[in-house]
Amino acid sequence: MDYALLKSLHMLCAGLSISLFCWRAMLVLRGLALARTLKILPHVIDTVLLACGVSMAIMARLNPAQQPWLGLKLGCLLAYIILGKISLAANTPPKARRAALAGALLVFAYMLKLALSKQAGW
């Protein structure tokens, strides 16, 4: 697959992923049950997103140990997953859920900054 196509698919999946996350969080914060599709679809999108990212890094011969921005982006991805899980968990208290949601959105924004600038730091 061509690098430009992978990059476009990666960016599309990133947009879909954050959109679905916000939608799911809104439903959870309102106490509404998530439809089965809203529980499964994000995993499919996130798998494609990660596969595209790994494929682009391999094609560009980028090593997270040698590219600080990429290593930081991967660390942020882990934090985003953990905060997202906390914010959507049924047994999380509402105050903690809102804090985790805010944290996840901030981490996502920082990952976007890293992806655009290719520079570690603020």
Side-chain angles (χ1 to χ4, degrees):
M1 188 178 278
D2 169 77
Y3 186 89
L5 182 59
L6 273 175
K7 185 175 179 181
S8 295
L9 182 57
H10 183 74
M11 292 185 322
L12 173 66
C13 287
L16 288 172
S17 179
I18 193 66
S19 297
L20 276 173
F21 174 68
C22 290
W23 187 16
R24 291 167 63 208
M26 181 185 66
L27 292 174
V28 168
L29 286 173
R30 292 184 176 179
L32 301 172
L34 294 176
R36 183 171 172 84
T37 304
L38 286 179
K39 291 182 180 181
I40 297 170
L41 187 58
H43 298 296
V44 174
I45 292 169
D46 292 344
T47 299
V48 174
L49 176 63
L50 184 60
C52 288
V54 169
S55 297
M56 288 189 306
I58 290 170
M59 288 174 85
R61 294 189 170 105
L62 295 175
N63 180 345
Q66 296 173 339
Q67 300 291 326
W69 69 270
L70 185 55
L72 189 53
K73 188 175 174 191
L74 290 172
C76 287
L77 176 62
L78 182 60
Y80 174 71
I81 291 168
I82 292 168
L83 289 167
K85 182 144 180 73
I86 292 168
S87 69
L88 296 175
N91 61 346
T92 303
K95 194 172 188 177
R97 185 177 285 162
R98 287 190 296 273
L101 173 60
L105 293 175
L106 286 172
V107 169
F108 185 88
Y110 188 61
M111 284 193 299
L112 181 60
K113 181 260 180 215
L114 289 169
L116 294 174
S117 71
K118 310 273 189 281
Q119 299 286 325
W122 300 103

